[in-house]
Amino acid sequence: MGTLADLGPLSTLSDHVVVILGTAMMPHLLLRVSASRDVPAARRSLSVAVGLTGLFYLLLITTGFAAAAVVGSGRIGAVDAMGQGAPILLASEVFSQHSTGRVVLITLVACVAFLAVLTAVASATFAAAVSVTRDLLGRKGRTRIGIGEQAVLRLSVVALCAVSLLLTTAVHRYPIEFLLAFSLSLAATCVFPAVFYSFFWTGFNRRGLLWLVYGGLSLCTLLTLASPAVSGTKYALMPEQDFNLFPLHTPGLVSVPAAFLLGWLGSARPWERTTHHRHTALGPTTARSAPELASTPARTP
């Protein structure tokens, strides 16, 4: 079976595509656009958000290199194969053992990580609740059940949190890296091409959007299920199984271009243009079918 190391740099490139594009399409960034007063305010708000996100990733890369240099990749890999514990291990090595500064630094790093996760979860929950209130129910649905928009929004938040807690309790033994990679892959595959086409292509229509979203969602799901993130590796969702057929850990290198192609095909429909040009070149007489010519009565001199 294929493994993550089979394609070398292509695996890393696919991971970077998913992380960069997926993070840029996260709810806490997109909500800044919808909450802005006008286009210049949205541009400034998004620029600040993207700048802060880029700075965060630069700090994350620096922390990773520092942890590899100070702690060592062997010790980091022994604690966590994905390297998630590198910041805590780095903080524990800065000061000497049993010192107050060491305890304070480890606590500070843990609190920062917790707040970052809490912010991302809160933004995703709020975006999902808004989608349920506005898209699924709508004004007619709220009028039918006789509940106001704010009440539906609160109930949606409670319901989503309850479902999330139940799912978390059910799958707490499984690695969370799969869910993180899958969510970023979906955002990069389905949301980014749709936003890009909506901003820069006037010919993008509803058909192209449906092709892009459903086609990209299906392809991303299938490639992820066949990737090392699900089986075949010790950090996979099911490490005891080995049925991965797709060698990349994340499908962004394939699914993102495929989603762009599906959006263009659904909107432009080039096969219809080809048929129209062929009929135009044949002319109205030649394009008529044989049954139509046979049914035309012959003229007598």
Side-chain angles (χ1 to χ4, degrees):
M1 293 296 180
T3 59
L4 187 62
D6 287 344
L7 298 183
L10 291 180
S11 299
T12 305
L13 179 61
S14 182
D15 292 341
H16 289 174
V17 168
V18 166
V19 169
I20 294 173
L21 298 183
T23 305
M25 296 296 107
M26 286 289 100
H28 58 283
L29 294 180
L30 293 181
L31 287 176
R32 299 178 69 95
V33 179
S34 59
S36 302
R37 298 184 302 273
D38 48 21
V39 175
R43 186 181 296 111
R44 289 193 301 269
S45 178
L46 193 61
S47 298
V48 173
V50 171
L52 292 176
T53 304
L55 179 62
F56 167 76
Y57 278 109
L58 288 177
L59 294 176
L60 191 63
I61 293 173
T62 304
T63 304
F65 279 114
V70 176
V71 181
S73 58
R75 288 183 56 190
I76 296 175
V79 174
D80 184 6
M82 295 297 292
Q84 302 293 334
I88 299 295
L89 293 176
L90 177 61
S92 64
E93 293 292 332
V94 173
F95 294 98
S96 59
Q97 297 286 338
H98 307 292
S99 63
T100 304
R102 182 174 183 268
V103 176
V104 171
L105 185 58
I106 293 176
T107 305
L108 181 62
V109 172
C111 290
V112 170
F114 174 76
L115 290 177
V117 173
L118 182 63
T119 302
V121 171
S123 63
T125 304
F126 180 73
V130 171
S131 298
V132 171
T133 305
R134 296 288 182 87
D135 300 336
L136 296 184
L137 293 179
R139 183 172 299 178
K140 294 182 179 179
R142 294 194 302 271
T143 305
R144 189 182 305 113
I145 61 179
I147 302 178
E149 183 176 359
Q150 293 185 359
V152 174
L153 186 63
R154 294 190 182 99
L155 291 176
S156 300
V157 171
V158 173
L160 290 171
C161 291
V163 173
S164 301
L165 288 175
L166 291 177
L167 292 176
T168 302
T169 304
V171 301
H172 72 281
R173 292 186 176 90
Y174 294 94
I176 62 172
E177 288 81 5
F178 163 75
L179 297 176
L180 177 62
F182 184 60
S183 62
L184 291 178
S185 299
L186 286 181
T189 302
C190 300
V191 182
F192 175 73
V195 172
F196 183 87
Y197 275 146
S198 300
F199 284 169
F200 298 104
W201 186 24
T202 57
F204 187 58
N205 53 26
R206 182 177 180 273
R207 183 192 296 268
L209 178 63
L210 293 178
W211 284 34
L212 187 155
V213 172
Y214 288 114
L217 174 63
S218 303
L219 181 61
C220 184
T221 302
L222 292 176
L223 292 181
T224 301
L225 291 177
S227 69
V230 177
S231 67
T233 55
K234 60 182 179 181
Y235 55 82
L237 182 64
M238 295 180 289
E240 67 279 359
Q241 303 293 330
D242 188 7
F243 53 84
N244 66 88
L245 302 175
F246 185 68
L248 302 179
H249 180 255
T250 52
L253 201 62
V254 176
S255 60
V256 173
F260 271 106
L261 179 60
L262 289 173
W264 176 78
L265 288 175
S267 299
R269 288 178 287 182
W271 58 89
E272 294 185 358
R273 296 182 181 180
T274 304
T275 306
H276 175 72
H277 290 330
R278 185 171 62 251
H279 287 178
T280 303
L282 291 175
T285 304
T286 312
R288 295 171 65 184
S289 60
E292 292 176 348
L293 293 176
S295 62
T296 303
R299 295 184 180 180
T300 56

